[in-house]
Amino acid sequence: MSVTSTESRYEALATAEPAALEALADAILAGAPVPTVEVVAGPETVTAPVRTPVPATGGATAVLGHVALTTCTVLLGGTRGDGIRSGRDLPGALAAAVCDAEAERH
């Protein structure tokens, strides 16, 4: 899969409406045959710095602040999936990871 389509998928999963995203993950897990799911990491909420370039400093950056993100990694039938959601969204990050893994499986 190309980097562009992977980035587009991550963006779509990160910004999807929560109920729709969780319904999609539930449908994936209800499919036959039901793939095994292993949570590898998370879901956990972390903070990430928001950086901006500082003019005339040779590439230095300044931290404007921090944002909360929730991340999760799963194995779905042995295929890795990663999810990331803004704020504290543990179910959303898990659902995004399941959807990402399903996209990678196909």
Side-chain angles (χ1 to χ4, degrees), residues 1-46:
M1 184 161 285
S2 72
V3 172
T4 303
S5 60
T6 300
E7 290 173 355
S8 296
R9 184 174 69 237
Y10 282 166
E11 181 179 356
L13 293 171
T15 59
E17 193 274 322
L21 180 63
E22 291 174 32
L24 179 57
D26 287 344
I28 290 167
L29 296 176
V34 178
T36 60
V37 180
E38 178 185 349
V39 177
V40 177
E44 65 180 335
T45 302
V46 299

Side-chain angles (χ1 to χ4, degrees):
M1 184 161 285
S2 72
V3 172
T4 303
S5 60
T6 300
E7 290 173 355
S8 296
R9 184 174 69 237
Y10 282 166
E11 181 179 356
L13 293 171
T15 59
E17 193 274 322
L21 180 63
E22 291 174 32
L24 179 57
D26 287 344
I28 290 167
L29 296 176
V34 178
T36 60
V37 180
E38 178 185 349
V39 177
V40 177
E44 65 180 335
T45 302
V46 299
T47 60
V50 177
R51 297 182 173 275
T52 188
V54 178
T57 60
T61 61
V63 175
L64 297 177
H66 288 80
V67 295
L69 302 170
T70 305
T71 62
C72 186
T73 300
V74 301
L75 291 176
L76 181 66
T79 301
R80 180 183 170 141
D82 295 294
I84 187 167
R85 301 280 291 175
S86 63
R88 181 172 167 76
D89 186 1
L90 303 176
L94 178 59
V98 168
C99 293
D100 180 55
E102 180 67 3
E104 284 293 320
R105 284 175 11 112
H106 297 284

